[in-house]
Amino acid sequence: MLSNHSSPAVVSASAAGKLPRAALIALLAAFVLPLFFSTDVWSGKSLISFGVAWNMANGSLADWLLPNVNGFPASDVGPLSFWFAALSIKVFGPLFGNVEAFHITAGLWFAVTTAAIWYSTYLLSRRDEAQPVSFAFGGEAARKDYGRLVADIAVLLTVGTYGIIAAFHELTPVTCLLAFSALAFYGIVLSLEYLWRGSIIAGLAIGAIALASSPGAGLWCFFGAWVAIFLTPDYTSRSKRAVLTYLWLCDRDALADFSFCCFPAEATEWFKSWISISLAALSPLPADEYLWLLKNISWLTFPLWPLALWGIYAWRDQIRQAPLIIPLSFSVVALCSVIFTGTELYSTLLFLVPSLSVLAALGVVSLKRSRENFLDLYSGIIYTLAVIAVWVYFFAWTQGVPAKMAFSITRLAPDVEPHGTSVFLFLLAVIATLLWIAIVFWRLFKHPVFSWRGAWMAGTGLTAVWIIVMSLFVNLIDGARSMKPIVDNFKAVAVENKIPLDKIGASHLTLSNIAAFNYWGGVNFDKQADAPWILRAVDRDYDENTLDLRYEVVDVFQGRPRSSEKFLLIRRK
């Protein structure tokens, strides 16, 4: 057991005062609320995810086992995340709409992520090794209150992490992987007290990562769990936990066996592609990407990383104890997975969040009073300025002055008319603004002593800014990023020319393009090489006169604003 004198945390009972559960739950609900402001799907990866899930929900068993978009294989990731999205579409689609039902899944993954981080931090911070200094005459935080305090800070800092916003508001398999990586982390922590229960949870979560992404991603998470287990000074059960966790990695084998049994030919092709893509990703990061990594890891994981570094330094005497070594092991292995994996770096970076949140929370409670106000000050200034800037740009967009600001924002989606938003969303933006002002005044004039106040301001500040941006500019974002207007134009031309929607071939279309035309346009792309009609994606500088003489261009559809893409509807002569 550790001596109280070696603990860097000095937390009084008053500083560990309880953050009202209603306030915390309201913040978490507010974070996911903007998901439902738009009935559109924005990014290409989100469109692919939606296309796969929608095909599953309306398809056969083969679509569920072998992910595809209108028959075109989507074999870069496994099917698990799509299963949940497809089930959500089937259950909630008739009630709320398919896109809204698709976004409900993000709320599920967000709930799993934050719950796993909270309980992991709570269990670690209640251990003897993580307890704060005992005061000579009493008055220090009780064990339960201290554990709740550190756990609340970890969740609040997670909500206030910049990179989380895009991940959960553009639903992709990354959100599923983040949730299961947090769940695997929780399982390893839980296994310190409940061997079988924690090991089973960790093993299932690691197997789920392999099913949701790739065997390589599951291997990295397993390696992080293995390192954490063997570095934790618990010699009586660490080998048992490692073996049991490994055994549950066999989840993905059941999928392969069942798929090969039902659809041997299709499964062979799909799994061959899945494995090859996974193996290709296991390559060192190119030397010219390290500067990119440094810049992006700095802001995507802010404010976690500086607080986590301080936490490691402050608790350096306890570096081999479970509260430090488990999150540190996961963080180091997650960083190695970025450096030695050639997959999309933005997605991989978010795997750092669960472990960094724990280290950052320990860093916050170890800050001295003179430094403790920095997070409050930073959040109050930065997010207040951000709120002011958002309202100024909204005024410029709707009123046309200042002219330069109005032009800079209008050009993002020049076809969006009229400028502005709905009355309901405008009032919501006003309420979010007033609530943020109230929080700032609470901090300035009430002088709260709670140690969670800085993390609370970071989480509420970023959430408030995001709600205001989405409330005021959702129409602009839809106009700038939506494929629906393009598909609507195409569909009108197809109806006018009486083009059968199942006789159109696809040329140079991405999976996201196929998903958009399949869902909004009702196009069931013809897989035959001699399709009488072809929809082709080209660069905006493409000269139609260079087209093969066997074809003629019927119509041209411009891509999204500020995009270099356009679409040609071609007819075979």
Side-chain angles (χ1 to χ4, degrees):
M1 185 179 294
L2 214 63
S3 168
N4 279 328
H5 297 291
S6 63
S7 175
V10 181
V11 181
S12 65
S14 57
K18 185 177 182 180
L19 171 65
R21 297 301 91 180
L24 180 59
I25 293 172
L27 173 62
L28 299 180
F31 182 87
V32 298
L33 181 64
L35 283 171
F36 307 101
F37 290 175
S38 173
T39 58
D40 215 322
V41 185
W42 295 335
S43 73
K45 287 187 174 294
S46 297
L47 265 173
I48 295 172
S49 298
F50 175 74
V52 172
W54 189 74
N55 274 268
M56 283 183 175
N58 296 275
S60 62
L61 179 62
D63 296 309
W64 286 79
L65 295 178
L66 308 170
N68 66 87
V69 178
N70 194 211
F72 295 85
S75 54
D76 56 332
V77 295
L80 183 62
S81 65
F82 306 130
W83 289 346
F84 284 91
L87 287 172
S88 182
I89 290 173
K90 287 188 74 71
V91 174
F92 299 110
L95 297 175
F96 307 114
N98 294 323
V99 175
E100 291 83 349
F102 173 69
H103 284 141
I104 287 175
T105 320
L108 167 67
W109 300 133
F110 180 70
V112 172
T113 301
T114 50
I117 290 174
W118 195 95
Y119 282 104
S120 301
T121 312
Y122 182 71
L123 291 174
L124 288 173
S125 57
R126 287 187 63 187
R127 293 177 66 88
D128 293 335
E129 306 96 314
Q131 289 303 296
V133 171
S134 295
F135 298 164
F137 300 101
E140 70 276 2
R143 184 183 295 264
K144 181 179 179 180
D145 295 338
Y146 176 74
R148 184 187 61 237
L149 167 69
V150 183
D152 287 347
I153 291 174
V155 170
L156 291 172
L157 290 176
T158 300
V159 174
T161 302
Y162 294 162
I164 291 292
I165 287 287
F168 282 100
H169 289 76
E170 292 189 354
L171 184 58
T172 67
V174 175
T175 53
C176 175
L177 300 184
L178 180 57
F180 279 115
S181 65
L183 201 59
F185 180 79
Y186 167 70
I188 296 301
V189 173
L190 184 64
S191 69
L192 294 173
E193 298 182 24
Y194 303 98
L195 171 61
W196 290 92
R197 191 191 312 170
S199 298
I200 289 172
I201 290 174
L204 284 173
I206 295 171
I209 288 175
L211 278 177
S213 179
S214 67
L219 182 62
W220 278 112
C221 191
F222 169 70
F223 185 55
W226 183 87
V227 171
I229 286 170
F230 279 87
L231 290 181
T232 302
D234 180 5
Y235 298 99
T236 59
S237 61
R238 64 180 184 179
S239 58
K240 296 178 184 177
R241 292 202 305 271
V243 171
L244 190 55
T245 303
Y246 172 77
L247 290 176
W248 283 94
L249 289 174
C250 299
D251 287 0
R252 65 183 184 274
D253 295 336
L255 170 69
D257 294 340
F258 189 69
S259 301
F260 278 111
C261 180
C262 297
F263 311 100
E266 295 87 345
T268 299
E269 194 66 29
W270 193 93
F271 277 92
K272 180 181 178 181
S273 176
W274 187 42
I275 296 298
S276 65
I277 293 174
S278 178
L279 291 176
L282 298 176
S283 57
L285 187 69
D288 58 353
E289 293 282 0
Y290 278 91
L291 181 59
W292 183 98
L293 174 63
L294 183 61
K295 290 190 297 184
N296 282 270
I297 203 172
S298 298
W299 76 268
L300 283 173
T301 62
F302 192 85
L304 293 181
W305 67 265
L307 293 171
L309 290 177
W310 172 256
I312 295 170
Y313 174 77
W315 293 84
R316 60 192 180 279
D317 292 338
Q318 293 87 5
I319 199 71
R320 287 296 309 275
Q321 303 301 320
L324 266 294
I325 197 61
I326 292 179
L328 185 58
S329 298
F330 271 87
S331 296
V332 171
V333 173
L335 188 58
C336 289
S337 73
V338 176
I339 297 174
F340 296 105
T341 302
T343 53
E344 185 185 358
L345 295 180
Y346 171 77
S347 304
T348 315
L349 281 175
L350 295 180
F351 293 160
L352 286 162
V353 169
S355 51
L356 282 183
S357 296
V358 179
L359 293 171
L362 291 172
V364 169
V365 295
S366 63
L367 287 171
K368 298 191 181 300
R369 182 65 61 134
S370 58
R371 300 168 181 160
E372 200 175 28
N373 294 323
F374 172 77
L375 190 57
D376 314 41
L377 182 65
Y378 168 83
S379 301
I381 293 175
I382 294 298
Y383 293 126
T384 300
L385 291 176
V387 168
I388 294 172
V390 172
W391 278 106
V392 170
Y393 268 101
F394 180 74
F395 181 84
W397 184 44
T398 54
Q399 305 303 316
V401 289
K404 287 187 176 180
M405 295 179 69
F407 171 75
S408 68
I409 196 165
T410 302
R411 71 192 182 100
L412 298 176
D415 296 331
V416 175
E417 292 287 350
H419 295 167
T421 186
S422 68
V423 175
F424 172 76
L425 290 179
F426 181 82
L427 291 176
L428 188 61
V430 172
I431 292 171
T433 303
L434 293 176
L435 286 174
W436 172 244
I437 293 174
I439 290 172
V440 172
F441 273 73
W442 166 78
R443 174 61 187 89
L444 289 176
F445 299 109
K446 292 292 184 180
H447 303 292
V449 297
F450 310 120
S451 293
W452 48 259
R453 66 183 185 274
W456 169 254
M457 293 194 68
T460 54
L462 186 59
T463 303
V465 171
W466 184 242
I467 290 176
I468 296 167
V469 169
M470 287 293 295
S471 298
L472 299 180
F473 294 107
V474 64
N475 294 336
L476 181 76
I477 301 173
D478 279 345
R481 306 193 66 179
S482 176
M483 283 288 295
K484 193 173 183 297
I486 305 166
V487 176
D488 289 342
N489 292 338
F490 160 81
K491 195 171 182 179
V493 172
V495 170
E496 180 182 345
N497 289 272
K498 299 179 180 180
I499 301 173
L501 296 180
D502 60 348
K503 300 295 182 182
I504 302 175
S507 175
H508 297 85
L509 296 183
T510 63
L511 279 179
S512 61
N513 295 151
I514 293 171
F517 283 97
N518 179 231
Y519 177 68
W520 283 301
V523 181
N524 185 18
F525 284 101
D526 191 343
K527 313 302 185 300
Q528 303 299 322
D530 57 348
W533 299 84
I534 297 175
L535 185 64
R536 179 174 179 179
V538 297
D539 188 87
R540 284 202 174 185
D541 297 329
Y542 179 82
D543 185 2
E544 290 85 353
N545 295 323
T546 62
L547 190 67
D548 192 315
L549 295 177
R550 294 173 297 172
Y551 302 95
E552 62 178 343
V553 177
V554 175
D555 214 324
V556 180
F557 309 95
Q558 298 299 324
R560 286 173 283 196
R562 305 187 69 192
S563 168
S564 61
E565 189 177 49
K566 65 180 179 181
F567 301 92
L568 307 181
L569 179 59
I570 303 170
R571 177 171 55 196
R572 185 184 294 272
K573 293 181 180 178

